[in-house]
Amino acid sequence: MSRRALLVTVEIATPLAVLAIIWIWTAGAESYYFPPLADVLSAFGDTWVFERFTSDVVPSVSRLAAGYALAVVLGMSLGVVLGQQRTLRRMATPVIEFLRAIPPPALVPFAILVFGVENDAKIFLIAIGCVFPILLNTIDGVAGVEPTLLDTTRVYRIGRLDRLRYVVLPAAAPQIFAGMRTSLSLSLILMVISEMVASTNGIGYFILQSQRSFAITEMWSGILLLGLLGYLFNAIFTLVERRILAWHRGARAGAG
């Protein structure tokens, strides 16, 4: 068996083994708080495949996508500017570090006060929590571009836009994608938090209401859905990252 085939086998076998252990343990646990996995899977199918997909899953994913996209646009735009301007970067650093230190859940009352209880407050909370990893990684990536490359573009009189497009952004792309990956996991967490306060739909709202009504099996089905969504989002992100940064892997392999 080749090394690649072995890695694929291990990657598939490990979660299956974990599921088997949980299945056996919950089947014999006889605990109200840990229902059998078979019951959770049954509730998952009944709840999320049909009943609450459009009413809860679609709004949650839409808020997450909007907040994450806003964070990417703001983080990259501001990061590119600050990364190229050392003076502006030093001026902005104290403000960025101060704002970054504020936990996003602490801004829930502010978001509700300013934006109300509709989608805008939830999108704001997701965006404000996700923007900083992207912003900081973009600043570091742009500021860390090899000076020789920049000097070469000046010697050949390459314009600023072309320099940004063909030199700066490709060189900073690995760090930018690292920040985007971190923010992607944060977006799922903040989506749930935002939906647990002053909300009428969404996955987070459903999980909280299930807990309050002691519908433990349904609650676990919502938690299972969050895990699957996180895995799916990461898989999609990884495919996009590999495609865009294929040149980077090739360059590293050639250097090695």
Side-chain angles (χ1 to χ4, degrees):
M1 180 181 294
S2 65
R3 178 179 175 81
R4 180 178 178 82
L6 179 61
L7 291 175
V8 171
T9 301
V10 172
E11 185 177 357
I12 295 175
T14 301
L16 291 178
V18 172
L19 282 176
I21 293 172
I22 295 175
W23 186 293
I24 296 172
W25 180 74
T26 55
E30 297 182 355
S31 172
Y32 178 77
Y33 302 105
F34 298 98
L37 182 57
D39 294 345
V40 174
L41 294 177
S42 178
F44 180 91
D46 295 338
T47 303
W48 301 113
V49 177
F50 301 107
E51 181 181 354
R52 307 189 72 95
F53 182 81
T54 56
S55 63
D56 289 302
V57 178
V58 173
S60 290
V61 174
S62 299
R63 294 163 187 152
L64 183 149
Y68 182 72
L70 183 59
V72 170
V73 172
L74 291 177
M76 287 187 61
S77 301
L78 187 57
V80 167
V81 173
L82 295 179
Q84 295 184 101
Q85 300 293 330
R86 184 176 181 181
T87 302
L88 288 178
R89 184 164 68 250
R90 295 193 65 175
M91 293 170 58
T93 295
V95 178
I96 293 174
E97 292 300 325
F98 173 80
L99 294 176
R100 187 170 70 96
I102 301 175
L107 297 176
V108 171
F110 169 79
I112 294 176
L113 182 65
V114 175
F115 300 103
V117 297
E118 301 301 326
N119 287 339
D120 290 347
K122 299 172 179 60
I123 293 173
F124 166 80
L125 188 67
I126 295 170
I128 200 67
C130 293
V131 71
F132 291 107
I134 301 171
L135 172 61
L136 294 176
N137 276 271
T138 302
I139 292 175
D140 288 342
V142 172
V145 175
E146 184 65 36
T148 304
L149 293 177
L150 299 179
D151 291 340
T152 302
T153 61
R154 295 187 185 97
V155 169
Y156 286 97
R157 297 181 180 180
I158 297 176
R160 289 190 175 183
L161 290 179
D162 288 338
R163 183 191 311 163
L164 177 65
R165 179 179 178 183
Y166 295 109
V167 178
V168 175
L169 287 180
Q175 279 192 261
I176 295 174
F177 270 90
M180 291 172 62
R181 178 188 288 272
T182 302
S183 292
L184 184 60
S185 60
L186 288 176
S187 67
L188 191 64
I189 297 172
L190 293 172
M191 179 200 75
V192 175
I193 293 175
S194 67
E195 292 175 346
M196 287 184 170
V197 181
S199 184
T200 57
N201 61 10
I203 303 172
Y205 168 80
F206 175 84
I207 292 174
L208 184 61
Q209 291 303 114
S210 298
Q211 178 264 329
R212 288 175 174 175
S213 60
F214 295 96
I216 304 301
T217 303
E218 286 73 15
M219 180 192 74
W220 278 109
S221 74
I223 296 173
L224 175 62
L225 176 63
L226 290 176
L228 292 175
L229 286 177
Y231 184 87
L232 177 62
F233 294 156
N234 182 72
I236 295 174
F237 184 89
T238 300
L239 290 175
V240 174
E241 182 183 33
R242 286 178 178 175
R243 185 175 182 85
I244 295 179
L245 297 183
W247 65 269
H248 178 65
R249 297 198 311 276
R252 290 180 61 183

